[in-house]
Amino acid sequence: MTTGFHSTVTRRTFMKGLGLVATGSAALTSPVFHDLDELVSSSSSGWHRPWYIKEREFENPVLPIDWANQQRAPAWRISPFRYQSSTDPKAANVRDNGLKIATDWIKEKYPDWGKGQEIGFSGLKPGTVRDLALANAVGTISFYDFPGKANKTWYLGLQAAATPETLKIAKWQGTPEENIRMLRAAARFFGAQDLGVTGLTANTKKFVFEEETDKKKWIFGGSEPKETATERYIPDAAQWVISYTNIQSTELTPRQPSALGATATTNAYRHWPQIEVMLKEFLRGLGYYGLSGTSFSAVGPSNPWGLMSGIGEQQRMANVLISPEWGAHVRALSRMPTNLPLAPTPPIDFGAYKFCSTCKICAETCPYGSLSMGGPTSTPPVDQLGAEQAAARSDQAYTGWWVDYRTCAFCGACQGVCPFNSTKDAPIHDIVISTVANTPLFNGFFASMERNFNYGFKDPETWWDMDLPVYGVSPKFTGKVF
């Protein structure tokens, strides 16, 4: 949307245009608007969130899950990356022509992009020399092997912080509510944004990998953490799973699928293990522990934990969770079992799942045609995914959307054009998202507005001349989240 639109359309005019100031049936179906600055604070978790976000019952997200048929799965079988080497003709086409597809896609929208410069590539993502220099600079710094440098594994982390026992003091004792507020404060200090908690129950244990990519099995039980040559244990006392978000650059996200835009993802992944290492050491210093698998957070697929803990909703992009505060900028959603007593946070409903049924902008945008244009489905579609991929994912018993990983180049274009990425600096956006959260009546209209005002993909070249915020995260984006 343009600046003129922001400054000339009043709240009353906008709502009148939607029929929200009428009487009768239109008024009855419209949401009851509160003051746009109103925030609701949960007394149990200290999570300050906008008023229009509705909490649901535990283990009952908007995304329908068939708990009876949900099964634990081995990480290696459901990993999306295994399909990149598939012999399927669709996978081969992306490998052979992916760079050209992405380059043509960008130049169709910005014909002058890279004019007078030679276009190189990083993976299947094209860029100019300075784009690639930035991408490679970020990529050379990896913190993934932190524990390995200290001859440790990711399971318990560095184990370097002094424990209360070594300091000859009592371990931390707090209520579950106090503990989650304390943990959220620490996580935000370390660089995370939001933190939720899922209780480990008979149902949610089904989200824990049966075995990981290194073929070590996750075993429930025991009194203490233990890792052997073939197994990793989640002790009985570890009854909670911590999830936290790690936002990527809000200025680079809409510049995907270029190599420059991809640095938003790379940089976020650079921060992620740092946060996890510090959070584990913090827990150790309190007298507790946090667990990981063969790599950081490798306990189960990320989205289910974010979904169940209220961080966001599943949507058409499927493997990207949408947050009401952060949109589709969420990257590297963590999941860490712990024995620190915590107050679980419930799933939420802010209208994203319903909105995505109508919107389809991400699927229309995908350069590789990897996203479904259809509605939510409870079974992996063989015609879209291929028999092998559909069979491998058949133990994921939800009614939602599925990504065709044979053709997905992980370019991020879908993520960059999501309407929920809009900054919160213009009051009109609060009106839109609060309307979406309360009624799906205007979802088609809002999606059309998004297309007309062209909020999506931005010219990669323009990023270099911006007055950039620190880490590329716009301070206007979050409004009054904190």
Side-chain angles (χ1 to χ4, degrees), residues 100-366:
K100 183 179 187 303
I101 292 171
T103 304
D104 291 347
W105 188 90
I106 298 173
K107 288 197 170 184
E108 179 184 349
K109 292 167 174 55
Y110 294 99
D112 291 333
W113 174 69
K115 196 170 185 178
Q117 303 178 66
E118 188 174 352
I119 299 298
F121 66 94
S122 175
L124 297 178
K125 302 170 183 69
T128 63
V129 64
R130 61 180 177 179
D131 298 344
L132 297 170
L134 187 73
N136 291 331
V138 174
T140 57
I141 301 177
S142 173
F143 293 89
Y144 289 11
D145 59 347
F146 263 7
K149 292 179 184 290
N151 197 28
K152 302 285 185 180
T153 69
W154 275 104
Y155 179 61
L156 283 169
L158 291 176
Q159 303 171 63
T163 66
E165 184 179 19
T166 60
L167 295 174
K168 301 187 184 324
I169 58 176
K171 68 188 297 186
W172 166 262
Q173 298 288 344
T175 67
E177 292 75 21
E178 290 171 335
N179 291 347
I180 193 172
R181 289 195 293 270
M182 171 185 67
L183 208 59
R184 183 173 288 118
R188 283 181 170 166
F189 175 69
F190 296 149
Q193 286 75 44
D194 284 328
L195 184 143
V197 174
T198 305
L200 267 178
T201 67
N203 281 336
T204 60
K205 284 180 179 179
K206 296 177 180 180
F207 294 142
V208 174
F209 286 136
E210 182 182 46
E211 66 179 26
E212 292 192 48
T213 52
D214 63 355
K215 302 301 176 74
K216 283 191 180 183
K217 295 184 179 297
W218 276 109
I219 306 296
F220 293 103
S223 59
E224 296 294 334
K226 183 173 68 172
E227 182 178 25
T228 70
T230 58
E231 297 170 330
R232 294 184 181 93
Y233 284 77
I234 297 179
D236 294 329
Q239 298 180 30
W240 303 271
V241 175
I242 302 164
S243 298
Y244 57 83
T245 58
N246 178 28
I247 191 173
Q248 64 184 37
S249 168
T250 59
E251 302 304 324
L252 282 172
T253 296
R255 288 170 169 83
Q256 300 176 115
S258 68
L260 178 66
T263 59
T265 298
T266 309
N267 209 35
Y269 278 125
R270 181 173 65 85
H271 293 153
W272 184 16
Q274 296 180 64
I275 298 170
E276 177 157 318
V277 164
M278 290 185 285
L279 200 57
K280 283 186 177 179
E281 294 301 284
F282 178 65
L283 287 166
R284 177 180 169 85
L286 296 171
Y288 300 88
Y289 56 76
L291 306 176
S292 295
T294 186
S295 64
F296 53 96
S297 287
V299 172
S302 61
N303 279 10
W305 302 108
L307 179 75
M308 302 307 292
S309 63
I311 284 176
E313 291 187 40
Q314 200 248 17
Q315 35 57 54
R316 190 174 294 272
M317 288 178 280
N319 61 340
V320 176
L321 206 71
I322 288 185
S323 156
E325 293 91 356
W326 310 97
H329 294 110
V330 173
R331 174 61 58 182
L333 190 81
S334 188
R335 48 274 188 205
M336 182 192 299
T338 183
N339 64 332
L340 175 70
L342 295 167
T345 51
I348 59 171
D349 179 0
F350 66 101
Y353 183 78
K354 298 184 184 71
F355 183 84
C356 292
S357 293
T358 302
C359 179
K360 302 181 182 180
I361 288 176
C362 61
E364 295 166 357
T365 298
C366 178

Side-chain angles (χ1 to χ4, degrees), residues 312-466:
E313 291 187 40
Q314 200 248 17
Q315 35 57 54
R316 190 174 294 272
M317 288 178 280
N319 61 340
V320 176
L321 206 71
I322 288 185
S323 156
E325 293 91 356
W326 310 97
H329 294 110
V330 173
R331 174 61 58 182
L333 190 81
S334 188
R335 48 274 188 205
M336 182 192 299
T338 183
N339 64 332
L340 175 70
L342 295 167
T345 51
I348 59 171
D349 179 0
F350 66 101
Y353 183 78
K354 298 184 184 71
F355 183 84
C356 292
S357 293
T358 302
C359 179
K360 302 181 182 180
I361 288 176
C362 61
E364 295 166 357
T365 298
C366 178
Y368 304 97
S370 303
L371 303 182
S372 169
M373 290 290 289
T377 177
S378 59
T379 55
V382 175
D383 58 337
Q384 179 191 339
L385 308 182
E388 180 193 7
Q389 188 176 350
R393 301 169 74 185
S394 61
D395 46 19
Q396 308 301 296
Y398 66 83
T399 301
W401 290 278
W402 310 76
V403 176
D404 189 345
Y405 289 124
R406 297 172 301 170
T407 59
C408 178
F410 302 95
C411 71
C414 58
Q415 192 179 4
V417 299
C418 179
F420 284 94
N421 289 350
S422 299
T423 58
K424 308 302 186 291
D425 53 316
I428 199 71
H429 295 151
D430 279 330
I431 297 175
V432 170
I433 194 170
S434 57
T435 304
V436 166
N438 282 276
T439 175
L441 190 61
F442 306 104
N443 285 353
F445 170 69
F446 291 144
S448 296
M449 285 176 59
E450 184 76 16
R451 291 182 180 88
N452 292 336
F453 287 105
N454 196 25
Y455 258 167
F457 182 68
K458 297 180 181 179
D459 185 354
E461 204 72 19
T462 61
W463 180 84
W464 291 99
D465 296 320
M466 293 181 65

Side-chain angles (χ1 to χ4, degrees), residues 27-108:
L28 290 173
T29 58
S30 67
V32 177
F33 282 89
H34 297 242
D35 187 278
L36 291 177
D37 292 332
E38 179 185 349
L39 296 174
V40 172
S41 172
S42 169
S43 60
S44 63
S45 70
W47 199 342
H48 299 267
R49 311 194 80 170
W51 64 266
Y52 49 78
I53 299 175
K54 296 179 281 292
E55 293 186 345
R56 295 175 61 88
E57 294 178 357
F58 289 106
E59 300 181 16
N60 182 31
V62 177
L63 179 80
I65 297 176
D66 181 359
W67 287 112
N69 289 312
Q70 176 69 31
Q71 302 174 45
R72 293 180 65 188
W76 54 267
R77 195 176 79 208
I78 66 173
S79 170
F81 301 103
R82 65 188 292 239
Y83 299 100
Q84 292 181 321
S85 58
S86 169
T87 57
D88 186 286
K90 291 186 177 181
N93 179 58
V94 172
R95 287 197 300 271
D96 296 340
N97 303 302
L99 177 60
K100 183 179 187 303
I101 292 171
T103 304
D104 291 347
W105 188 90
I106 298 173
K107 288 197 170 184
E108 179 184 349

